[in-house]
Amino acid sequence: MRGARPSVTGTFCSDSKFVSAPTSDVMLFNRLSRRHFAKIAGWSALGISAKSAVSAQTDQVTANRALNPNRFPSGFLWGTATSAYQIEGAVNEDARGQSIWDRFAHTRGKILDQSNADIANDHYHRYKEDVQLIRDLGVKAYRFSIAWPRIFPEGSGSANPKGLDFYNRLIDELLANGIEPFATMYHWDLPQALQDRFGGWLSSDTSKAFGDYAGHVAGRISDRVKRIFTINECARIVHAGFSVGLDAPGFQLSQPEVNQVRHNIALGHGLAVQAIRAHGRPETMVGPAENIVVCIPAIETPANIRAAEIATRELNAGYLTVMLEGQYTDGFLAYAGKNAPKFTAEELSIIASPIDFVGLNIYVPNHYVVAADNPSGFALLPFPKAFPQMHSSWLRIAPEAMYWAPRQVAKLWDVKSIYITENGTSASDEPAADGNVYDVDRIMYLRNYLTQLQRAVSEGVPVLGYFLWSLMDNFEWSDGYEKRFGLYRVDFATQRRTPKLSASFYREMIKRNAVV
Ligand code: PNW
């Protein structure tokens, strides 16, 4: 029963106690000393030049807005995204090793419909057909992930050349069709061998192995792949994989262990950034793809806007904040107390290795925020029962998340290049009598989020591109095949792909470079 499962909403930043229950969060921040938050409050003024890049660009774009009120800038990159385990299948082919998701999906009771991704979309064999589907959308970019166990079946040691052969074929096919490949190095399919050998992300040996793997791959694809993401959604991995156990490896660890896992994953990101720079072509660009904890000002007053920025920085302390500042916030360390992760100054500087862009996966509002007269300066409001949601229980609808998240990231850390690396929704997708899927619910969701993205871009927030999740229906992790996110419907019995109405919506939007 879906309803009986732990929720995956709103608790990604860190353990559930830290961010899930609004009232206890407020109490938590009330308990922290004023000194901790004095620093936070002054931080952005210290860290960002008086006239930020965002406000400078705002001036410029305000002028353009009169000419093109509703358009995206020319050159804005439209794309779509998938991940290896969710679509490839062929899990036993060409010497691929086992991943923690193979093991997890084959464990009874872990996947809602008792399915697995042994075959999934059979993309490993049908990739040429799928590249045509991408092309038919009119997108210019495709974000896919590389399966670590195809490259290093044992996680480290000797590479399996056949693994890379597949990605070379895919990359060449994309380029031949005028589509720019964006590769993600880790989208959750850890080699099972590393789980068995070191306890996976519980050990920094896995962080090191990840760096080695990422460097190996970058050395071989960066002649053609110019933009690389390190890890997809550190926050989701930590929370769902190690705290509530809803994702592989399915653990419910103690707080010190969860904090250590989070640190090791951030370290893996930093080591991968360094290895990609060391082994890739000099022009290779790299960054994370993070499902940031999205904090929205409940009403757009200057005080709430500032409070939401503070909340964003604090509630992403173990992820984007440490990656971009090279330190854990005082609030995070005070809260973690004796459960804090063990780390060295050198590790923090590795985690904060300079990146070229920030990728943001935006689906939901995590919190509505108001300014508060407490040491933290903010309070998180509870979600009312009737708050609207899409077809997954976690997928609350707040189009303005797409405006505030990139705006805050640009402002808090002076980030100059942002990609929306995922956005999309599940929908019920029942075919009509004529066999077509008229998914006006998905179109409603996309239209509203994209309108907010256009608002951000028109104000000068430096978002350079958008990847719609997902190209086609696929294995939706612990929801199996029951939740469909694709622009193309997939009949998993026949592997037939059929465009939904939302595919036409997206094509039309791209053609006009405007929300339609
Ligand atoms: C992402 N939330 O996960 C993943 O990167 C994809 O692999 C996945 O298929 C897609 O979103 C849809 O689920 C998320 O609760 C899952 O906010 C849940 C959340 C965010 C991202």
Side-chain angles (χ1 to χ4, degrees):
M1 275 290 297
R2 181 79 227 177
R5 298 175 150 227
S7 154
V8 293
T9 308
T11 52
F12 286 169
C13 138
S14 108
D15 65 286
S16 44
K17 279 184 235 88
F18 193 46
V19 288
S20 69
T23 40
S24 64
D25 283 342
V26 174
M27 282 157 58
L28 150 72
F29 282 97
N30 283 337
R31 281 203 309 273
L32 294 172
S33 79
R34 278 187 186 275
R35 190 166 44 86
H36 290 132
F37 288 98
K39 277 201 178 173
I40 296 170
W43 188 86
S44 94
L46 293 174
I48 295 175
S49 61
K51 187 169 167 96
S52 71
V54 175
S55 61
Q57 286 180 21
T58 306
D59 296 346
Q60 186 195 333
V61 178
T62 312
N64 293 343
R65 226 165 145 192
L67 296 172
N68 268 328
N70 299 315
R71 272 180 214 294
F72 285 85
S74 63
F76 189 86
L77 200 62
W78 296 106
T80 184
T82 62
S83 88
Y85 186 67
Q86 293 180 272
I87 63 167
E88 285 179 1
V91 292
N92 294 315
E93 268 176 65
D94 293 334
R96 174 187 181 275
Q98 198 186 35
S99 83
I100 57 172
W101 265 97
D102 295 302
R103 176 75 62 88
F104 189 75
H106 279 271
T107 306
R108 241 196 111 64
K110 300 296 184 193
I111 309 299
L112 202 59
D113 57 4
Q114 312 300 334
S115 64
N116 56 58
D118 288 0
I119 299 172
N121 297 46
D122 195 30
H123 171 76
Y124 195 77
H125 301 115
R126 296 169 193 262
Y127 72 92
K128 285 195 178 178
E129 178 194 338
D130 292 338
V131 169
Q132 290 312 307
L133 302 182
I134 300 169
R135 200 174 97 136
D136 288 348
L137 293 172
V139 302
K140 288 278 179 293
Y142 174 57
R143 173 175 176 249
F144 64 97
S145 82
I146 294 176
W148 185 350
R150 286 198 193 280
I151 312 296
F152 289 102
E154 296 298 315
S156 58
S158 34
N160 164 37
K162 288 189 191 151
L164 209 61
D165 287 349
F166 168 67
Y167 297 104
N168 280 328
R169 291 196 294 277
L170 172 64
I171 291 164
D172 292 344
E173 187 70 13
L174 288 164
L175 290 170
N177 283 278
I179 300 157
E180 181 181 349
F182 282 62
T184 304
M185 289 291 178
Y186 184 75
H187 201 123
W188 311 354
D189 41 2
L190 185 79
Q192 181 67 41
L194 296 179
Q195 191 64 49
D196 297 341
R197 220 182 309 154
F198 311 131
W201 291 109
L202 270 160
S203 163
S204 61
D205 287 332
T206 295
S207 322
K208 290 181 193 117
F210 179 60
D212 294 345
Y213 146 74
H216 174 91
V217 173
R220 287 157 182 82
I221 65 171
S222 62
D223 56 333
R224 289 153 296 146
V225 178
K226 302 297 175 196
R227 288 179 263 203
I228 295 178
F229 299 103
T230 53
I231 297 179
N232 182 71
E233 300 191 349
C234 300
R236 163 84 186 208
I237 299 169
V238 173
H239 178 72
F242 294 89
S243 187
V244 297
L246 199 64
D247 283 0
F251 293 168
Q252 294 180 323
L253 299 180
S254 67
Q255 207 45 54
E257 291 171 312
V258 171
N259 287 338
Q260 201 60 47
V261 163
R262 184 184 304 104
H263 178 73
N264 291 339
I265 291 175
L267 181 61
H269 156 81
L271 289 167
V273 170
Q274 296 194 348
I276 291 164
R277 298 229 189 275
H279 298 280
R281 298 273 177 109
E283 69 277 13
T284 313
M285 287 176 276
V286 60
E290 190 54 34
N291 58 318
I292 183 175
V293 177
V294 178
C295 301
I296 300 175
I299 302 169
E300 295 185 16
T301 63
N304 288 348
I305 289 170
R306 181 67 197 128
E309 285 167 9
I310 296 168
T312 293
R313 177 175 177 264
E314 200 57 49
L315 300 186
N316 290 283
Y319 306 107
L320 282 184
T321 308
V322 71
M323 288 176 194
L324 290 159
E325 295 182 26
Q327 56 184 7
Y328 289 115
T329 65
D330 293 340
F332 174 85
L333 291 175
Y335 175 68
K338 63 178 182 6
N339 295 335
K342 297 193 179 20
F343 60 87
T344 64
E346 192 200 345
E347 287 172 347
L348 290 182
S349 73
I350 294 169
I351 290 171
S353 299
I355 50 179
D356 300 297
F357 47 71
V358 170
L360 297 176
N361 292 0
I362 309 278
Y363 291 90
V364 296
N366 294 85
H367 300 287
Y368 281 94
V369 177
V370 289
D373 188 15
N374 64 27
S376 71
F378 66 86
L380 309 175
L381 302 181
F383 280 95
K385 279 209 184 67
F387 200 91
Q389 66 181 57
M390 296 300 293
H391 202 53
S392 302
S393 56
W394 56 269
L395 227 165
R396 287 184 176 132
I397 307 164
E400 67 273 28
M402 190 59 98
Y403 171 76
W404 287 105
R407 174 176 149 156
Q408 291 167 351
V409 167
K411 169 140 191 254
L412 277 168
W413 299 297
D414 201 18
V415 171
K416 298 283 199 287
S417 303
I418 295 172
Y419 291 99
I420 303 303
T421 31
E422 288 181 26
N423 169 243
T425 185
S426 54
S428 43
D429 286 0
E430 281 129 29
D434 64 3
N436 290 320
V437 174
Y438 298 103
D439 52 342
V440 289
D441 44 359
R442 180 175 286 105
I443 293 172
M444 176 281 295
Y445 174 98
L446 293 170
R447 179 183 287 125
N448 282 287
Y449 276 67
L450 286 160
T451 299
Q452 292 289 326
L453 180 61
Q454 204 271 329
R455 176 185 174 204
V457 171
S458 71
E459 289 180 15
V461 178
V463 179
L464 307 179
Y466 168 95
F467 294 83
L468 201 154
W469 185 273
S470 179
L471 170 65
M472 53 186 165
D473 297 339
N474 56 48
F475 178 75
E476 175 56 13
W477 307 111
S478 62
D479 280 335
Y481 296 98
E482 296 205 345
K483 299 293 179 205
R484 293 171 176 271
F485 278 77
L487 291 171
Y488 288 88
R489 180 177 176 83
V490 177
D491 176 339
F492 290 98
T494 62
Q495 291 296 345
R496 195 154 168 252
R497 283 91 154 116
T498 318
K500 302 175 192 173
L501 192 61
S502 54
S504 304
F505 163 81
Y506 196 39
R507 190 184 308 110
E508 190 63 27
M509 241 208 76
I510 294 168
K511 202 157 66 183
R512 296 204 223 160
N513 211 22
V515 181
V516 291

